[in-house]
Structure formats: C-alpha cells, structure tokens
C-alpha cells in the first residue's frame, strides 16, 4: 500500500496500455523505453512475463533501468507497480521502497498476480475490451522531484479474426469429420491450426457429446479464443460458450466439449437441425506474434493524476479471411457470420496499405509513398493549398520531397492517417518536428515539441535552440533559453556552445544578453 506521505509527494507516472494482451504468445513483453527527466534523466522500461518462468500460472511484473541510461551509476528510488481498471482505480499494486538500481538492472514482483485472476475469473475487470493497463509510479528515495510528470505508451498485439458458419449435413448419422478445417493466417499466408469435430459416447452423461479438436499446424506457441454458437432453425444463435486454447511444441492438440449433446439436438431437431443440418457460428481470434509499441504522450507539471486513454484498435492488427473446405460428403461452408463492420479509420488505413485508389505519390530519395489527396488535404493546410493552386495538375501524380528523409515521411504519413506516433528518439523527433512545421500538421508538431522539451539536456540544448529559432517557435525558444540560463556556467563553457558562437553568433549573443537583461 502507498502511504499518505508518498501520495503527497511529486512523482513520475508511466502508464502502459497493452491491447489484445490475452492473445500474447511471447514469454516476455517489454514496454517502450521512457526517460524520466525529473529523476536524473534516467531511462527505464517495464517488463511483464504473461507466464512466470518459474510458475506459468503467475504473472511477473518488473521495472528495469536501461543499460544506456543517463544519470549516476546507481540511483535509489521508491516505486509502485499496479494493474488498473478502466476508470483508473487500482486493481492490484505492490510498493517497493529504497531500491537501488544500477544500469541494466531490473527489480519487481515475480508473482505479481495469477493468470486465473486476470485472464479468467476477473477478465472483464482486468481486461476491458481485451486491454490491460499497467502503471508504474516513481519517487526519489531521498529528496523530491521538481514536478509531477507522466508518460503514456501503448503496445498492441496483432490479432487476426475468422468468422464463419460451419455446416454439417446428415448430422443424425454424423460421427466425425473426414477432413480437417484449415485456419490460415492472412499476415503470413500459412496454416496456423486445424479444426476437427467428432461425437463420443459419454457414460456419465449417458449421451453422445460433441467435441471440437484443435491441432497446431506449426508446433509454435499460439494462444487463441474460440467462440461457438448454434444457429437454430430460425437462424437465431444459441450460445455454446467461449473457450481459451493454448497450443505449443509440447501440447499440439486440445479439444473442447460443447454444452449441447447430439442426443438433445436430435430430440429437438425441428428447432435445431433444419433439414438434418447442424450449423455452428464460429469465431477464432489469434495472434501470430506481430507487435506495435510506442510512446504516445509525455507531459510534466500537470499533477499526479494520470489520464488513461481509451484503447484504439489498430487497423493493421486485425484481418479477416473467408475460405471454404470440402469435407468428404459434408460441405463445410465458411461464410461471413455476424460480419464485423470496420470503423472509418480502419477503412482509410486499409486503403493506404493496399494502395487502393491512391492518387498521388510522395517521392523521397529512392522511396515512393502512395497516398490520397483527400487525406493530405484534410490533414495539412500546405497540401490543401497545393491542391487548390496551379500546382494541382503537376502535383497530382507525384510530389518530390527533397529536404526530408524517407523514414520521416513514412512516420508523418502514418500519423496523418492514424493519429498514432511511433516510438521517438531525439533524431526522429527533431526530423518530424521539422516535417510537421513544414506541412503545418500542428498536432504532430506539438507532440514532437513535447518530446524534445522533456528530453532536453546540456548536450542537446544548442541543437534545439537552433531548431526553435529556425522555425520561429517562440514558446520552444523561450523554454530552451530559460534552460540555458539556469545552467549557464556549464553550457557556456561547453564545446557545443563554442560551435554555436562560430556558426550562429547572433543567436548565441541574443541568448547571453538575456542573462544580463534579467
């Protein structure tokens, strides 16, 4: 438990949103690295083991200091690890005080919680919409941090979904499927697992039970959910349950038993077996290992309350596929059942990824990026003006961008289409700041500016001062100059400042003059 004294102290909060965590097939999940500017500019990450290495029924949770972290060789902090509910309340937490971290060292709780509690018994509480929210709060063990700060990051596990109708004719004489139903991955175009069905006499129930068998196609780890419902004679679904299935190199087959027996279905054939056909409505959701992660928001001095973002579905993380398999005399028909309707963002990003009706190309060095004039115009006043001007016909086919790197343009396009910002480093943030200012994408510029401000240090302050002055960003320039004046002796005697005085004497003189003006 956090004591009252700790609650009243300023701290840094890192909130980590893990979408589709239930489908994670990784042994270890690491968060994006984050820099705590108010604690000696140290760099950290969170690590979760969905299945503890010693006991796979437990979940482990750790805080680790990065091996490339700045700051002293050893730093002592107090920290709290927690799982949060959708409203931000604490579901599970653990507090560690006076823990000394060296670089590349991690500490935490090996049995933080049980898989049964998080993924089964209280799944709806811990995993609303399939998302786990983990949090770490950090305090200095000795002394106080200057101001409250927070960082929000996301990790999304790519999930593919298959929805289909599984029809078995002549069910009254059915014993087992003659051919397996194949479930393929759209992302890697290969079979992931096979499905079979059979009936078996259960002596305890004195009835023939219906079993569905899953067989791994690869022998690799795969964790998936299987929802199944019976479609009655009127087409209404009758829920038959949702099942969690885990396959790996040691356990390559698993089977589940449906709640409805063959005897009960035949006894109510007019209700359930129209024309002696069993129709199951099935949905499989699984991950083949794709992961996206990145820092989405950083802020300081806004209080200790950490806002929890609503999870956003990544359009790249979900795929659907409809196939058909002939099973001897039984036609297994995989048709769209209760087809999910994608939202606007998913539709738009799919058009970009699949190059559907792209009507302009951005040419950057040796790379070509297809795009849509409509999106570019909606997101950037510069592109919109270009479209309306005399450049319309000239720029419709191709726009040459000579002053930006391919990766910068790719990141800018990703943000314009999705509002998602990939994990930043100083160089990528500086380049994106320049690109967003050029095309007046103000939200992106603001996020890059925030990152640069929170990662400001004596070693990069001259670079950021030049950048702010070049782009006429008065707010950023004022903050940088204030930073310099508070550390004037160190910075004015640095090699970077000597270079600045040689290459941009006016800017250096203007900044130094502020010290005397104050």
């Amino acid at each position: 438990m956090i004591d009252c004294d700790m609650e009243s102290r300023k701290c840094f909060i890192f909130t980590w949103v893990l979408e589709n965590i239930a489908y994670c097939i990784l042994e270890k999940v690491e968060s994006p690295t984050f820099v705590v500017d108010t604690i000696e500019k140290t760099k950290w990450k969170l690590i979760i083991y969905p299945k503890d290495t010693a006991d796979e029924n437990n979940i482990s949770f750790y805080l680790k200091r990065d091996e490339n972290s700045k700051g002293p060789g050893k730093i002592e902090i107090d920290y709290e690890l927690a799982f949060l509910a959708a409203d931000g309340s604490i579901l599970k937490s653990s507090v560690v005080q006076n823990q000394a971290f060296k670089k590349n060292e991690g500490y935490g709780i090996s049995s933080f919680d049980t898989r049964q509690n998080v993924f089964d018994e209280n799944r709806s509480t811990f995993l609303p919409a399939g998302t786990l929210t983990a949090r770490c709060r950090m305090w200095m063990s000795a002394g106080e941090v200057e101001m409250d700060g927070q960082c929000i990051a996301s990790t999304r596990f790519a999930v593919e979904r298959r929805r289909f109708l599984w029809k078995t004719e002549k069910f009254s004489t059915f014993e087992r499927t003659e051919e397996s139903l194949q479930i393929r991955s759209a992302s890697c175009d290969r079979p992931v697992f096979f499905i079979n069905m059979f009936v078996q006499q259960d002596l305890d129930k004195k009835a023939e039970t219906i079993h569905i068998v899953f067989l791994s196609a690869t022998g690799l780890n795969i964790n998936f959910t299987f929802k199944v419902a019976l479609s009655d004679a009127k087409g209404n679904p009758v829920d038959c349950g949702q099942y969690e299935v885990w396959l790996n190199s040691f356990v390559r087959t698993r089977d589940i038993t449906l709640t409805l027996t063959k005897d009960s279905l035949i006894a109510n054939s007019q209700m359930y077996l129209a024309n002696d056909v069993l129709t199951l409505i099935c949905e499989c959701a699984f991950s083949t290992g794709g992961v996206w992660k990145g820092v989405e928001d950083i802020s300081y001095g806004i209080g200790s309350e950490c806002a929890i973002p609503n999870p956003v579905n990544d359009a790249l993380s979900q795929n659907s596929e409809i196939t058909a398999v002939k099973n001897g005399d039984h036609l297994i028909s995989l048709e769209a059942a209760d087809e999910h309707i994608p939202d606007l963002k998913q539709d738009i990003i799919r058009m970009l990824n699949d190059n559907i009706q792209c009507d302009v190309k951005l040419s950057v060095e040796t790379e070509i990026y297809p795009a849509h004039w409509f999106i570019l115009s909606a997101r950037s006043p510069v592109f919109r003006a270009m479209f309306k001007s005399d450049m319309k016909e000239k720029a419709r086919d191709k726009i040459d961008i000579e002053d930006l790197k391919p990766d910068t343009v790719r990141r800018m396009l990703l943000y314009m289409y999705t509002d998602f910002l990939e994990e930043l480093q100083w160089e990528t943030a500086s380049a994106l700041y320049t690109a967003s200012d050029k095309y007046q994408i103000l939200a992106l510029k603001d996020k890059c500016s925030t990152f640069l401000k929170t990662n400001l240090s004596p070693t990069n302050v001259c670079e950021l001062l030049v950048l702010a002055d070049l782009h006429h960003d008065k707010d950023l320039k004022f903050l940088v100059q204030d930073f310099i004046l508070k550390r004037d002796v160190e910075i004015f005697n640095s090699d970077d400042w000597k270079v600045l005085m040689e290459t941009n004497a006016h800017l250096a003189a203007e900044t130094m003059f502020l010290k005397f003006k104050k």
Side-chain angles (χ1 to χ4, degrees), residues 97 346 384 387 427 510:
Q97 292 182 286
Q346 290 175 325
R384 183 160 61 249
F387 181 71
E427 292 76 12
E510 174 193 324

Side-chain angles (χ1 to χ4, degrees), residues 43-86:
K43 184 184 292 187
W44 307 79
K45 69 175 63 173
L46 297 183
I47 301 175
I48 290 178
Y49 290 83
K51 291 187 176 183
D52 183 74
T53 52
D55 184 354
E56 66 175 18
N57 294 317
N58 288 324
I59 301 170
S60 301
F61 194 2
Y62 298 93
L63 172 65
K64 182 179 180 181
R65 187 178 177 194
D66 193 84
E67 62 181 341
N68 297 317
S69 173
K70 295 182 179 180
K74 183 169 68 173
I75 190 166
E76 193 170 285
I77 66 168
D78 304 334
Y79 66 96
E80 175 206 32
L81 301 176
F83 288 163
L84 305 183

Side-chain angles (χ1 to χ4, degrees), residues 221-234:
N221 290 348
I222 181 167
N223 189 23
F224 62 93
T225 59
F226 183 76
K227 295 180 182 179
V228 60
L230 171 69
S231 180
D232 65 17
K234 295 182 179 180

